[in-house]
């Protein structure tokens, strides 16, 4: 019983769509958010709807760009599923305080990401999973070509 809800649909339909009865089911306990970096502004209706929907559920955030302008983007994504007092063994312990200290240069972003982040690069997968398969087919990455300068 998975239910797919795209960020594109959320943008088109509006945040009230997530409150529709078909999405308010207790049997779906995992929320998988692809392109989670789109949810870094808690002032938007989409963010609020997704935050409300995610409460009490396990949340998986997927993104290739966790932040674009500031590390606080990560804080807002974390707040989709975590209360400010989530115990991550940080110093200071509250997320908001930790990010403020980080912005002052007194804390390290790695400390908050270490217990939460699963990072898999192409090189990591090739090194640690050389025989990886998807649907019975060996996983093969395309060979990267050097960029070509095109002048016009």
């Amino acid at each position: 019983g998975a239910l797919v809800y795209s960020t594109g649909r959320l943008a088109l339909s509006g945040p009230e769509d997530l409150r529709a009865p078909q999405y308010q089911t207790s049997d779906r306990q995992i929320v998988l958010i692809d392109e989670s970096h789109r949810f870094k502004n808690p002032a938007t209706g989409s963010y609020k709807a997704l935050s409300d929907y995610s409460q009490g559920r396990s949340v998986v955030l997927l993104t290739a760009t966790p932040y674009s302008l500031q590390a606080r983007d990560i804080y807002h994504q974390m707040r989709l599923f975590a209360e400010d007092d989530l115990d991550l063994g940080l110093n200071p312990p509250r997320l908001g305080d930790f990010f403020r200290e980080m912005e002052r240069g007194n804390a390290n972003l790695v400390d908050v990401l270490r217990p939460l982040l699963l990072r898999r690069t192409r090189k990591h997968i090739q090194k640690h999973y050389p025989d990886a398969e998807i649907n019975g087919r060996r996983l093969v990455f395309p060979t990267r070509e050097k960029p070509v300068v095109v002048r016009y």
Side-chain angles (χ1 to χ4, degrees), residues 96-126:
D97 295 339
F98 179 86
F99 274 86
R100 272 188 288 286
E101 287 301 308
M102 193 180 60
E103 289 164 350
R104 293 179 185 131
N106 299 326
N108 191 331
L109 182 60
V110 172
D111 293 336
V112 76
L113 293 179
R114 187 175 289 120
L116 301 172
L117 180 69
L118 177 62
R119 181 174 179 242
R120 294 292 181 256
T121 63
R122 175 188 300 226
K123 283 185 179 184
H124 178 92
I125 292 169
Q126 289 171 326

Side-chain angles (χ1 to χ4, degrees), residues 11-82:
L12 289 174
S13 304
E16 64 282 348
D17 195 44
L18 259 181
R19 296 180 185 98
Q22 69 265 31
Y23 301 113
Q24 298 306 312
T25 58
S26 60
D27 64 331
R28 293 181 180 91
Q29 291 302 309
I30 297 175
V31 178
L32 181 73
I33 304 170
D34 194 12
E35 303 293 336
S36 68
H37 58 272
R38 294 182 181 197
F39 297 96
K40 60 186 177 191
N41 184 350
T44 66
S46 297
Y47 181 98
K48 176 76 171 121
L50 188 57
S51 179
D52 290 348
Y53 185 79
S54 299
Q55 297 308 306
R57 294 180 164 98
S58 296
V59 176
V60 178
L61 304 175
L62 302 174
T63 182
T65 51
Y67 73 93
S68 54
L69 298 176
Q70 56 188 357
R72 190 156 291 269
D73 295 346
I74 293 173
Y75 169 75
H76 292 301
Q77 290 173 69
M78 290 177 66
R79 289 302 310 270
L80 286 168
F81 66 90

